[in-house]
Amino acid sequence: MRKVQRAMAIIFLGFICALPVAGWLTPDRKFSPEENRMLEPKPKLSLYGVTSGKFTVGYENYISDQFPIRDFWIGVNSDTGRALGKKESNGVYLGKDGYLIQQFQPPAKLRLEEDAKAIRALAAAIPNLHTYVMLAPTSLSINKEKLPDFAPVGDELASLKQMRDALGKAIKFVDVYPALFANRQEYLYYRTDHHWTTLGAYYAYRELCKQMGINPQAKTEFELRQVTDQFYGSLYSRSGFKHIRPDEIELWLPKDKEPISVEYTDEQHSSDSLYVMENLKEKDKYAIFLNGNHAQARTTSDQAKGRKLLVVKDSYANSLIPFLTKHFSEIVIVDLRYYDDDLAALIRAQNIQDLLLLYNINTFFMDRSIQKVAEMM
């Protein structure tokens, strides 16, 4: 027995001694494909950094992010917690049927009113601008039956109603929850990612068309093409839960093909496709839609000549915008997280008649970039 204990002690001490050597021999990584995020670099030593405590915090984050074989240990921790019955990790629930579902934190009343005020100010500043707001519920609301039993969650629908009331009647609120919930048995949200699928985006597109007075395209007008069945999304990376079936990504390609141009203004680059197939080789395969997020982009086509739309959005819009190119000759796309110019001036300069703000409800209330609009006003 003593020999076994001694052997275990030697192995443990050897492991402890090997860690600093492994850390010294292993080069620092800038990016973690497994977690889909940038890793903390080694902080620079300075008097201010030491006295303010920022160096200590930065160095702790650096050690955590650059820990040897970090991805392996994350997997071990996840598997151990799962074996012990753990159903939540980093704000993500491990639900039924392999669904990972993100928690929702309702916004404070003042925060909600400020966001609504910013949107009202933009709409009021541009005469004859038709303003539509679509705040998409997440999988949390549509797939609530897949949540672990007794999981505490925030009420997305209550926040949606409060936002709708705060916006007032002059702004058209596009409520997509009823359509999504009615079709909840279908594959509307990715299991491992926080986005809706192309099918979920299609149902939301149909609801938007009703508000805009547009005749939506039928499913039969598209060729459905699965481009991957190996998509592990943001919630998979964030939670650390492993051994989950990957998602499929499907493109809906119009059978009646029309030439289209996509200009990525921030990169001064253009394309003749709404989809970037090369991104299927990357960790973030959802970036196949409009090449991910950009400060500003623009689609142009010969459809609906003269009608222009501005989409102010988060990444939920990326898989919905392709459906709209049939109805607008030009779509200007702005992501306020990266866009710093005057939005009202852009609307006037481009003679835009329709404005769509499209976010998922989680991102909308977590992100403060909508307040840039209030500052512009």
Side-chain angles (χ1 to χ4, degrees):
M1 184 66 180
R2 287 184 178 178
K3 290 183 178 180
V4 174
Q5 291 176 338
R6 186 178 302 168
M8 293 296 293
I10 292 173
I11 292 171
F12 179 74
L13 287 173
F15 175 75
I16 294 297
C17 293
L19 279 177
V21 177
W24 180 68
L25 294 175
T26 304
D28 289 350
R29 298 186 302 160
K30 294 182 179 180
F31 181 78
S32 170
E34 188 72 17
E35 298 177 75
N36 194 28
R37 69 177 180 88
M38 301 301 293
L39 298 178
E40 190 76 17
K42 182 182 290 186
K44 293 182 179 180
L45 184 62
S46 68
L47 179 61
Y48 171 74
V50 173
T51 56
S52 66
K54 289 187 176 181
F55 177 81
T56 302
V57 173
Y59 200 80
E60 289 176 354
N61 293 335
Y62 164 73
I63 292 297
S64 175
D65 277 6
Q66 303 297 341
F67 196 83
I69 54 175
R70 171 185 169 84
D71 293 341
F72 169 77
W73 294 115
I74 289 176
V76 170
N77 180 65
S78 170
D79 289 344
T80 302
R82 194 168 176 177
L84 295 173
K86 185 178 180 181
K87 296 292 185 180
E88 186 273 337
S89 175
N90 202 19
V92 178
Y93 289 111
L94 175 60
K96 301 176 180 69
D97 302 324
Y99 269 82
L100 299 178
I101 301 176
Q102 186 177 5
Q103 172 63 282
F104 172 70
Q105 183 64 43
K109 183 178 180 181
L110 178 60
R111 169 77 171 271
L112 186 147
E113 290 175 348
E114 288 176 346
D115 290 344
K117 182 179 179 181
I119 297 172
R120 292 198 309 267
L122 176 62
I126 312 296
N128 303 317
L129 179 69
H130 304 113
T131 304
Y132 306 86
V133 173
M134 181 191 295
L135 298 184
T138 70
S139 183
L140 177 71
S141 295
I142 306 303
N143 292 316
K144 60 180 69 175
E145 76 282 356
K146 298 186 185 299
L147 284 164
D149 294 336
F150 311 113
V153 293
D155 191 343
E156 289 186 344
L157 300 186
S159 295
L160 283 172
K161 183 180 184 304
Q162 291 168 9
M163 192 65 190
R164 181 176 192 163
D165 293 343
L167 287 172
K169 295 182 179 179
I171 295 173
K172 298 178 176 63
F173 189 88
V174 185
D175 186 2
V176 299
Y177 171 77
L180 292 171
F181 189 74
N183 295 281
R184 63 189 179 279
Q185 300 304 322
E186 300 182 57
Y187 185 41
L188 303 183
Y189 290 85
Y190 296 113
R191 292 178 296 273
T192 69
D193 191 68
H194 70 286
H195 294 101
W196 51 23
T197 63
T198 316
L199 177 60
Y202 173 75
Y203 282 122
Y205 150 75
R206 291 181 61 89
E207 294 305 305
L208 177 62
C209 286
K210 291 179 183 178
Q211 290 276 10
M212 288 184 162
I214 293 173
N215 186 30
Q217 300 169 88
K219 289 182 181 181
T220 54
E221 297 181 57
F222 296 93
E223 173 196 346
L224 278 56
R225 182 186 303 173
Q226 185 185 106
V227 291
T228 184
D229 60 0
Q230 294 296 313
F231 173 41
Y232 288 101
S234 60
L235 300 183
Y236 178 87
S237 301
R238 175 176 173 178
S239 67
F241 286 121
K242 307 298 180 184
H243 315 302
I244 295 174
R245 181 161 61 98
D247 281 294
E248 306 85 42
I249 293 180
E250 192 174 63
L251 303 184
W252 288 40
L253 305 174
K255 294 178 180 177
D256 181 16
K257 297 178 181 179
E258 294 285 347
I260 191 165
S261 175
V262 184
E263 176 189 358
Y264 299 103
T265 311
D266 53 352
E267 294 183 353
Q268 297 183 340
H269 166 71
S270 60
S271 172
D272 60 358
S273 175
L274 296 159
Y275 309 105
V276 181
M277 305 302 290
E278 289 82 0
N279 286 335
L280 293 175
K281 301 174 184 177
E282 305 297 330
K283 172 66 170 63
D284 184 13
K285 292 177 172 55
Y286 185 80
I288 187 177
F289 299 101
L290 290 171
N291 200 25
N293 296 317
H294 295 265
Q296 185 178 348
R298 181 192 313 270
T299 72
T300 54
S301 69
D302 293 331
Q303 303 287 349
K305 290 185 177 180
R307 189 166 187 181
K308 296 182 180 182
L309 170 69
L310 170 64
V311 180
V312 178
K313 58 86 181 182
D314 68 2
S315 53
Y316 257 55
N318 296 358
S319 56
L320 186 145
I321 288 173
F323 293 113
L324 296 174
T325 57
K326 176 79 172 179
H327 311 291
F328 295 90
S329 62
E330 187 173 330
I331 302 176
V332 180
I333 306 162
V334 167
D335 192 323
L336 289 176
R337 292 172 293 186
Y338 317 110
Y339 185 84
D340 294 318
D341 292 335
D342 189 326
L343 200 60
L346 174 67
I347 294 172
R348 296 188 187 100
Q350 298 295 325
N351 192 27
I352 291 170
Q353 303 92 18
D354 297 284
L355 166 64
L356 169 64
L357 283 93
L358 199 172
Y359 290 78
N360 81 76
I361 187 173
N362 233 331
T363 301
F364 182 79
F365 287 123
M366 288 174 60
D367 181 65
R368 296 305 292 152
S369 60
I370 195 67
Q371 286 303 310
K372 288 183 180 180
V373 173
E375 295 167 6
M376 293 170 188
M377 295 300 102

